[in-house]
Amino acid sequence: MRIDILTLFPEIALAPLSDSIIQRARGAGLVDVRGHNLRDWSEDKHHRVDDSPCGGGPGMVLQPGPLHAAIMALKKENTRVILMTPQGAPLKQARVRELSSEGHLLIVCGHYEGIDHRIVETLIDEEVSIGDYVLTNGAIAAAILCDAVIRLLPGALGDSQSAVEESFSDPDLLEAPCYTRPIDFMGIKVPDVLLSGNHAKIKAWRREKAEERTRKNRPDLSDHA
Ligand code: ADE
């Protein structure tokens, strides 16, 4: 897989992808991730890429010219062009799974008030939000999307970090609580059932706790269950 990230801050997008599991996946050649600075496509002598919003209002808007030139230069035939924006569709694990089988992602990062909408209409395939809050820039959101996608590439996770049995494998159920040694920590014991060796009982316990946790932390998911 190939991922290109177009942003004013390539270092911010790449920093979280340069260590641990994701760096190993990159090193093993499972994914080729590259950052690109939007200013490199500015024709302005000061490398400017933004201007004030038409109709007034605060902040700045990324101009269409540099974005158009950059996207056209980086896009190939099989490219999925994604814009990171709080106005996008909320990212879910099911969509992450689909994106992990794409050949090429071009991730465009918004900044300030957003990007000129003519680019959204003509060159962006989908707008993605990582949650209902606003970050200073889309490079952070792009790193999160990349992390979620890359860890699902075959070979990225060892068996011990399997992606199969985890929260959102079933989109309506969070994972059950987990424990490890010591069995007694400050007087709080690991639940007996987990030490019983009875796999059917353990499975039933985990299901019950997963449902309890989902009801408590994500009543919106419980509603659909
Ligand atoms: N840029 C700023 N906030 C964002 C968010 N929540 N999701 C995606 N991109 C963003």
Side-chain angles (χ1 to χ4, degrees):
M1 172 182 243
R2 165 83 184 245
I3 304 179
D4 288 283
I5 305 172
L6 180 62
T7 166
L8 288 172
F9 302 98
E11 304 80 13
I12 291 180
L14 292 175
L17 307 175
S18 303
D19 212 332
S20 186
I21 294 170
I22 304 302
Q23 178 53 38
R24 265 203 308 281
R26 293 173 71 188
L30 304 182
V31 60
D32 181 1
V33 187
R34 302 191 194 187
H36 306 273
N37 195 322
L38 178 62
R39 288 191 200 283
D40 292 346
W41 281 274
S42 170
E43 293 198 334
D44 178 82
K45 67 172 187 270
H46 302 295
H47 301 289
R48 226 183 125 173
V49 291
D50 60 353
D51 209 332
S52 52
C54 294
M60 300 295 270
V61 176
L62 292 180
Q63 295 171 296
L67 281 166
H68 185 270
I71 294 170
M72 293 311 284
L74 295 169
K75 191 171 139 78
K76 301 182 181 77
E77 218 159 70
N78 66 342
T79 304
R80 187 93 193 143
V81 186
I82 296 172
L83 174 66
M84 303 311 299
T85 165
Q87 275 72 49
L91 185 64
K92 298 280 192 277
Q93 187 67 11
R95 187 70 194 121
V96 171
R97 221 172 285 127
E98 290 165 0
L99 290 173
S100 71
S101 58
E102 292 282 342
H104 181 207
L105 301 179
L106 170 53
I107 305 177
V108 180
C109 304
H111 194 51
Y112 315 120
E113 281 305 297
I115 78 170
D116 189 290
H117 200 64
R118 288 165 291 187
I119 295 299
V120 178
E121 286 176 321
T122 55
L123 289 176
I124 300 294
D125 294 318
E126 68 184 273
E127 299 172 90
V128 170
S129 166
I130 59 156
D132 291 339
Y133 41 79
V134 182
L135 305 166
T136 52
N137 76 77
I140 300 167
I144 289 169
L145 173 62
C146 288
D147 182 284
V149 166
I150 293 168
R151 67 186 283 282
L152 293 185
L153 297 178
L157 297 180
D159 279 350
S160 60
Q161 303 146 328
S162 168
V164 179
E165 275 197 36
E166 62 184 359
S167 293
F168 303 116
S169 288
D170 175 347
D172 291 325
L173 202 61
L174 302 181
E175 264 190 277
C178 53
Y179 299 84
T180 187
R181 276 161 289 277
I183 303 305
D184 186 328
F185 177 67
M186 293 169 66
I188 310 168
K189 300 236 175 68
V190 172
D192 285 340
V193 60
L194 296 179
L195 309 171
S196 68
N198 183 329
H199 294 295
K201 271 197 177 161
I202 292 172
K203 196 170 171 204
W205 180 89
R206 285 195 170 135
R207 176 80 202 188
E208 185 194 319
K209 293 296 170 189
E211 285 172 1
E212 209 175 286
R213 203 177 205 183
T214 307
R215 275 194 302 274
K216 177 169 179 252
N217 293 340
R218 294 294 303 271
D220 55 318
L221 296 181
S222 301
D223 288 349
H224 307 152

